[in-house]
Amino acid sequence: MDWDQIGQKITGLGRDVSDKVKETAEVARLRQRIRAEEEKLAGAYQAIGKLYYEKHDGEICEEYIPYFEHVGEACAAIEEFQGQLNELKKRKICPECGAAVEETSAFCSHCGHKMN
Ligand SMILES: [Zn+2]
């Protein structure tokens, strides 16, 4: 093997590496575009589902019933959690022990620390 051949071999390797890099970047770009389209798709499906739910509550095909039930349960749960959240917001946190204390309490119900 003479120096020219070695030089060609090295140049060839360099080209292989840069092709690989280009390919990897292209793969990443395409994956990202696919993910973006999949997100749009999920959003559209969600909107269709919501629209269907709002228009067809009480007159649904049997195969939709479990999903309608899930929606109803989730809405009830959200309302419940929202209520708990609102209750929590009315409380203050004891600086001594970190317990949630009613806003009107003068002392922490957990450790007895004087509340401001
Ligand atoms: Zn306390």
Side-chain angles (χ1 to χ4, degrees):
M1 190 181 280
D2 62 27
W3 286 111
D4 273 358
Q5 281 179 311
I6 293 172
Q8 280 174 5
K9 199 155 188 147
I10 291 170
T11 309
L13 282 175
R15 198 176 301 128
D16 281 355
V17 169
S18 98
D19 280 354
K20 273 257 160 32
V21 168
K22 213 181 287 171
E23 191 186 285
T24 308
E26 184 69 4
V27 165
R29 196 180 66 86
L30 282 172
R31 284 211 178 112
Q32 197 183 349
R33 293 188 73 175
I34 289 171
R35 211 175 310 129
E37 293 304 322
E38 281 175 346
E39 277 171 25
K40 275 192 226 165
L41 200 57
Y45 280 143
Q46 199 176 9
I48 291 168
K50 190 172 181 219
L51 206 60
Y52 186 90
Y53 177 82
E54 286 166 358
K55 290 197 177 217
H56 298 275
D57 200 8
E59 40 151 314
I60 47 169
C61 318
E62 212 162 289
E63 64 257 50
Y64 290 99
I65 288 175
Y67 301 112
F68 270 64
E69 286 172 357
H70 290 167
V71 170
E73 285 164 12
C75 286
I78 287 169
E79 206 171 308
E80 165 71 22
F81 296 145
Q82 196 62 57
Q84 288 179 17
L85 205 58
N86 291 340
E87 279 306 304
L88 272 181
K89 279 185 192 162
K90 281 188 215 157
R91 297 176 184 211
K92 48 193 176 184
I93 301 298
C94 170
E96 189 64 25
C97 72
V101 181
E102 297 229 359
E103 207 171 35
T104 51
S105 298
F107 297 94
C108 173
S109 54
H110 186 74
C111 75
H113 184 79
K114 190 174 190 315
M115 302 294 289
N116 291 328

